[in-house]
Amino acid sequence: MPPKFDPNAITYVFLRCVGGEEAGTSALAPKVGPLGLSAKKLAGDIAKKTTSFKGLRVTVKLTVQNRQAQVSVVPSAAALIIKALNEPARDRKKVKHVKHDGDISLDQLYEIARQMRERSMAKDFSGTVREMLGTCVSVGCTVGGENPRQLIEK
């Protein structure tokens, strides 16, 4: 016989989904089914919480306690940078391989680094800023009109 369910136990479930769209119930069901949650209802809640990251893949953290789930978005550095570029929303099924060749200011980069600070592996804030500059290189955008690689070397 399985052990008795503890109502005070807190369980965290992480999953990647596309912002603004309902997460596939086929992917959600095996993760939240054993916790006694409805995958269909949870998919709707996730879609509402991730509307600001429409079309981008973001990580969602589900905090489950006493068969109640709180949804919180844990955006990656790339998702925050692409959001800062203020690009128009795109349909991910029709438009593929988008070039993110916009420009963000240094202040926006510092703000993104502040948001990512607790999840960064860097010892100090300048290291976190360098991590974000490296992400800008991989995304393909410029920072303050300059190539991010030149800013890393400064």
Side-chain angles (χ1 to χ4, degrees):
M1 202 166 125
K4 190 79 173 128
F5 179 70
D6 182 16
N8 296 325
I10 297 174
T11 310
Y12 298 104
V13 179
F14 292 91
L15 61 124
R16 298 264 298 162
C17 63
V18 179
E21 294 181 17
E22 289 206 2
T25 52
S26 59
L28 266 176
K31 293 180 180 179
V32 298
L35 301 171
L37 297 168
S38 164
K40 198 166 200 170
K41 186 174 146 272
L42 209 52
D45 293 345
I46 290 170
K48 284 185 198 124
K49 283 282 188 179
T50 59
T51 50
S52 62
F53 291 96
K54 192 164 177 58
L56 300 174
R57 287 192 50 92
V58 289
T59 305
V60 176
K61 177 182 176 184
L62 302 173
T63 308
V64 181
Q65 183 177 20
N66 198 12
R67 293 186 59 192
Q68 297 293 316
Q70 269 82 36
V71 180
S72 57
V73 181
V74 185
S76 64
L80 288 169
I81 288 169
I82 292 170
K83 186 178 173 188
L85 288 171
N86 291 329
E87 292 181 340
R90 63 182 179 94
D91 185 4
R92 69 183 184 98
K93 289 183 173 63
K94 293 179 184 165
V95 184
K96 302 278 187 193
H97 308 297
V98 177
K99 292 268 189 273
H100 304 287
D101 55 358
D103 183 58
I104 61 172
S105 67
L106 268 173
D107 293 333
Q108 287 175 313
L109 186 82
Y110 291 147
E111 190 57 43
I112 292 168
R114 280 188 202 95
Q115 287 179 356
M116 293 295 293
R117 182 68 189 118
E118 67 270 2
R119 290 186 283 147
S120 170
M121 294 296 186
K123 196 184 291 187
D124 50 12
F125 185 69
S126 66
T128 306
V129 172
R130 284 198 174 109
E131 284 182 6
M132 298 308 113
L133 284 167
T135 307
C136 286
V137 171
S138 65
V139 165
C141 67
T142 57
V143 178
E146 287 188 66
N147 187 340
R149 285 204 170 120
Q150 269 90 43
L151 291 171
I152 292 172
E153 292 168 6
K154 287 183 184 177

